[in-house]
Amino acid sequence: MRASRAPLFAVPVIVAALVAGPAVTVRAQQTPVAPPEGLYYLQSATTGLNAAATGGRVAQHRPRGNSDHQQWWLHAGGDAYTLENTDSPGQCLGRTGDSPGLVACGGDGAGWDLAGAGPDRYALKDPGADRYLTVAPSGDTYADALALGPDGDLARWYLTPLVAPKSPLPPESLRTLDQVTFLTAHNAYANGVDGGFAPPIVNLFPNQNRGLDQQLAEGVRGFMLDIHQTPDGAILCHDSCTLVSRPVALWVDLRRIVEFLRQHRTEIVTVFLEDYVAPDVLRAELARVPDLAGLLLRPDVEGVRQRGWPTLGELRQRDKRLLIFTDHSRADDESAGLTRDSFGVMYQRDWTVENFWSMGPGVGGSDWSCYSRWYGGGVNIPLTRTEPGFRPLFVMNHFRDVPVPPTITTDNGKLADRAERFCEPAARKKPNFLAVDRYDLGDPGSAVDLLNTYRYAGMIARRAGSPG
């Protein structure tokens, strides 16, 4: 299943004097919404992918921090703006004939008109023609190469600062759910303590090595669980439950969580289900756990999409301290005649964004790029997704295909760095769930602690009556 958390460190804010990089020329329209000069990622509001210099062309690539030629200097000069690529000084994002490309920053085709085009969004227009920098449809996704085309949604861009804009968090009880970060155990059930989770060979590679009760006691507050359907109901296991010795049923782990919440009245827990069971089977599992239904937070019936997420204080006061998500398809459930949200299990794609789950194999180099798990195959939910009044929760996966302890220790030690330098800019929001293998290795808790010292100040969805 999913990800990890580890210590973060802040990226220095004073970088302008160190980089004499390329710029993109954008026509300066005297507008109060124009961003200040500085270093930015140029992100498509449609895909969440970044404009990157690649040879003499410009294409959208997966966000990859300070690598892959994705950073741009925004310069305002006279009546134009330019975007200069930091890896190619003097080369700007401009126009070569009918296509975007790298051009000399002082030459023709480098300047753009830059205009606000919605909350935090901009349009880059050719000053000499009615055409805009845009992404282009290609099959069921979008082409890598950028294009010049008509104005519209595909021509909307974010200028995301390299260093996350931060502001102080409110007092703990006044923090909304989307302002908080939780330590999350990827495949929390695959621990070799509570029971079997895979056939014998795979059992040699547990994602965790402590049972669920100990995970709860040690501060884990997000739990990723894979469930498969068997004659005995919803069982926790990898891929197939065949040959699993001592399998554990979902309701058993849910009962552990509910008992913990009853004993610890201020704690809040989230469960993520990688879900391969029929909706009636899942409903029956939940019904076996006393008091579970009363604890469930139901954002679908509480106006979260209109008002934003509730505060921690509100959740505690109302005793709504358990949130359950499924990655199952709503469309499939509708065709089956029973939706999971009808009994309190929320569809994850409605309420969260999530980066692709794997950083690579168990050993060797890691892929730290941060891009949506739900992009392609007719699905497009960018990490940057937001709505008026509502910001999805951000699940940040930080783990590999195979949990190898030495690799995990190294990766978890870099969790904070990846979160702040790679994933926060990619999502334009702070991770709410840092999902890791072996949370006992590499001190991922320090990354959680660091993220819980500030609020990402960009694109903050306001709740009715809240200060922002």
Side-chain angles (χ1 to χ4, degrees):
M1 213 168 132
R2 302 164 191 143
S4 81
R5 86 175 165 136
L8 299 153
F9 59 83
V11 180
V13 177
I14 304 174
V15 289
L18 303 179
V19 183
V24 174
T25 303
V26 180
R27 188 91 180 184
Q29 299 194 355
Q30 302 306 316
T31 166
V33 299
E37 292 185 284
L39 283 166
Y40 293 92
Y41 298 107
L42 183 65
Q43 283 178 287
S44 166
T46 298
T47 67
L49 302 181
N50 286 348
T54 171
R57 302 184 307 114
V58 179
Q60 58 173 353
H61 288 182
R62 297 168 178 173
R64 202 181 294 271
N66 59 349
S67 59
D68 198 35
H69 317 299
Q70 298 182 6
Q71 297 181 353
W72 305 89
W73 266 108
L74 177 68
H75 298 292
D79 61 352
Y81 284 91
T82 57
L83 284 165
E84 181 182 14
N85 190 265
T86 60
D87 293 324
S88 302
Q91 295 293 301
C92 283
L93 190 162
R95 299 167 303 284
T96 57
D98 294 330
S99 302
L102 286 183
V103 301
C105 293
D108 294 338
W112 300 85
D113 288 334
L114 178 65
D120 290 325
R121 303 181 184 197
Y122 298 90
L124 279 71
K125 180 181 178 296
D126 179 350
D130 189 21
R131 58 182 190 172
Y132 295 77
L133 182 68
T134 181
V135 296
S138 176
D140 61 4
T141 56
Y142 298 88
D144 291 339
L146 299 180
L148 296 172
D151 193 16
D153 290 343
L154 301 185
R156 297 294 176 261
W157 299 89
Y158 297 119
L159 284 164
T160 301
L162 269 58
V163 179
K166 299 176 182 178
S167 62
L169 280 169
E172 201 258 358
S173 65
L174 299 180
R175 297 172 190 175
T176 55
L177 196 61
D178 58 332
Q179 294 173 346
V180 184
T181 301
F182 299 95
L183 176 60
T184 299
H186 169 237
N187 286 354
Y189 66 95
N191 54 61
V193 175
D194 297 325
F197 59 89
I201 298 300
V202 181
N203 264 325
L204 297 175
F205 298 95
N207 297 98
Q208 309 298 333
N209 76 335
R210 297 175 179 178
L212 203 79
D213 287 333
Q214 188 172 356
Q215 293 177 35
L216 285 161
E218 293 178 345
V220 176
R221 294 296 177 264
F223 297 87
M224 292 179 166
L225 307 174
D226 294 9
I227 53 174
H228 291 262
Q229 189 164 324
T230 75
D232 297 320
I235 302 298
L236 297 162
C237 55
H238 270 307
D239 300 326
S240 168
C241 297
T242 304
L243 302 180
V244 174
S245 62
R246 299 187 303 119
V248 177
L250 172 64
W251 72 268
V252 173
D253 272 1
L254 290 179
R255 183 181 62 185
R256 290 185 173 112
I257 290 170
V258 168
E259 288 175 350
F260 174 84
L261 290 173
R262 286 302 179 211
Q263 295 167 14
H264 301 82
R265 311 292 295 194
T266 64
E267 299 299 335
I268 296 164
V269 168
T270 304
V271 173
F272 300 89
L273 299 177
E274 188 171 312
D275 187 349
Y276 303 99
V277 307
D280 59 332
V281 171
L282 180 57
R283 181 175 59 182
E285 290 288 306
L286 270 60
R288 298 184 67 175
V289 183
D291 300 329
L292 182 147
L295 281 168
L296 286 177
L297 171 63
R298 294 284 305 271
D300 58 332
V301 299
E302 296 193 9
V304 167
R305 182 154 265 108
Q306 294 73 39
R307 299 182 57 247
W309 294 97
T311 66
L312 303 187
E314 290 169 342
L315 294 176
R316 292 162 180 156
Q317 182 180 25
R318 297 170 46 234
D319 206 22
K320 299 297 182 182
R321 297 180 291 116
L322 177 60
L323 186 55
I324 302 179
F325 290 113
T326 175
D327 69 351
H328 205 84
S329 162
R330 174 188 288 277
D332 288 348
D333 285 352
E334 288 173 341
S335 64
L338 176 64
T339 61
R340 290 163 211 252
D341 54 7
S342 67
F343 51 87
V345 176
M346 300 293 101
Y347 291 98
Q348 194 175 343
R349 297 182 194 188
D350 291 346
W351 302 101
T352 73
V353 294
E354 179 176 336
N355 65 307
F356 182 70
W357 59 271
S358 174
M359 295 193 298
V363 295
S366 60
D367 180 2
W368 280 27
S369 60
C370 216
Y371 61 100
S372 178
R373 177 189 180 195
W374 299 311
Y375 179 70
V379 178
N380 178 32
I381 304 176
L383 293 183
T384 54
R385 171 184 156 214
T386 191
E387 301 172 23
F390 167 72
R391 181 170 53 188
L393 302 176
F394 176 21
V395 181
M396 179 184 154
N397 293 316
H398 187 80
F399 51 86
R400 307 222 186 185
D401 298 353
V402 180
V404 178
T407 305
I408 293 170
T409 301
T410 299
D411 287 346
N412 285 357
K414 298 177 179 178
L415 177 58
D417 182 35
R418 185 181 182 215
E420 289 198 321
R421 286 203 298 126
F422 290 74
C423 291
E424 279 188 4
R428 295 174 56 82
K429 57 178 73 74
K430 187 173 75 172
N432 301 110
F433 301 94
L434 291 180
V436 297
D437 283 334
R438 292 295 302 272
Y439 71 88
D440 58 304
L441 299 177
D443 191 19
S446 64
V448 173
D449 293 342
L450 176 60
L451 291 180
N452 280 326
T453 63
Y454 65 86
R455 178 174 63 182
Y456 189 96
M459 292 179 62
I460 293 175
R462 286 178 167 80
R463 304 175 70 236
S466 78

